Amino acid sequence: MGLFDLLLSKDKRGERARTRNVQRALNKYAQSADRMKALEALADDGAEDALYGLLRRFGMMYDKTIEDEQEKEWVFETLCEKGPAALPAVKRYLFSAESISWPLRLLDRLAPDKDQEIAMLEEVVARHEPGYERDPTKKMQLLSHLASLRHPKAAALCAPYLKDMDEGVRYTAVEALIRQKNESVAREPLLELFTSDAEESLRIRLKIAEGFVDVGWLVQGYRPGVERKLPETFTLDREGHIKKKISA
């Protein structure tokens, strides 16, 4: 057997071992100690496929909630220790997973700067544009993460989701835009949604009204429509600010 054959054989053995460790790490019926041994082996391996296998542990729920959380926290801290070298695996998981709250936390820790973080989020957003999705969880997690991200592009990534088909996604987009406080990006789209006859959600209108009270934006250009749709617990002042009515 030549050197090339030996190296190839070694690579195949490594791949088989990695596959077995991923299977063990994701076996919800195994003992926690056995899963931890497999997770540690994947961490020691360090290859992108092994780190991706570690990330997949976030998508598995173990019946014993305390141990489930402990294992996930271990995976999180272990991947943080890998530094930016773990980012390719994190990116793969962000694209493929149905729930991404853990990898979003990792991205926030691992990205060298906010520009690189927002660039990766733009790629994820591009795969989940406003429109119908069977499970909108991923969109809402993205929007909640963007809400807390201090970057000039964050609000612009959130605004299109005001037109999403899912009411929960629209509501989360409203929350994100209010938290971002980027008036030039958010004010008019929020007012368009507020005054739209197609929007039937009272809680969305309440959230927008409360947000305008908090940030102090004017309803200039939309006053007649705002007056028609304004919930009874709010009023408009002369300048065009939404105010909460004072209880008698």
Side-chain angles (χ1 to χ4, degrees), residues 27-144:
N27 184 356
K28 66 183 294 183
Y29 302 107
Q31 295 295 314
S32 181
D34 294 331
R35 272 197 310 277
M36 282 303 305
K37 186 177 179 180
L39 291 169
E40 288 168 356
L42 291 170
D44 291 340
D45 180 324
E48 182 181 326
D49 285 345
L51 299 184
Y52 180 73
L54 278 178
L55 283 154
R56 288 178 62 193
R57 178 61 186 85
F58 294 134
M60 189 272 280
M61 294 290 292
Y62 183 43
D63 293 338
K64 297 180 180 179
T65 55
I66 294 176
E67 290 179 356
D68 183 65
E69 191 69 18
Q70 288 174 340
E71 290 176 26
K72 288 174 178 174
E73 287 288 352
W74 184 90
V75 170
F76 178 84
E77 294 300 332
T78 298
L79 287 167
C80 285
E81 291 172 5
K82 299 290 183 182
L87 279 173
V90 172
K91 182 177 180 178
R92 275 177 64 187
Y93 193 70
L94 282 169
F95 287 165
S96 64
E98 293 183 2
S99 177
I100 56 172
S101 56
W102 283 98
L104 285 172
R105 285 175 56 196
L106 273 169
L107 177 62
D108 201 48
R109 288 275 293 271
L110 295 175
D113 55 55
K114 292 303 177 186
D115 285 339
Q116 291 192 41
E117 181 175 358
I118 204 78
M120 194 175 294
L121 291 172
E122 284 179 300
E123 292 187 58
V124 181
V125 165
R127 292 172 177 239
H128 298 276
E129 294 179 341
Y132 173 77
E133 283 193 22
R134 179 184 57 81
D135 184 356
T137 301
K138 194 167 183 176
K139 289 181 182 178
M140 290 188 281
Q141 290 171 340
L142 271 170
L143 289 164
S144 295

Side-chain angles (χ1 to χ4, degrees), residues 147-175:
S148 63
L149 194 62
R150 300 274 75 85
H151 193 281
K153 288 186 176 181
L157 289 175
C158 297
Y161 291 95
L162 295 175
K163 297 181 180 180
D164 196 85
M165 294 180 69
D166 184 84
E167 191 263 359
V169 172
R170 297 196 303 278
Y171 183 87
T172 310
V174 170
E175 286 185 313

Side-chain angles (χ1 to χ4, degrees), residues 184-203:
S184 63
V185 170
R187 189 187 76 90
E188 290 202 12
L190 286 170
L191 287 170
E192 287 174 5
L193 181 62
F194 188 93
T195 57
S196 171
D197 290 334
E199 182 52 71
E200 299 178 351
S201 173
L202 176 59
R203 73 168 185 148

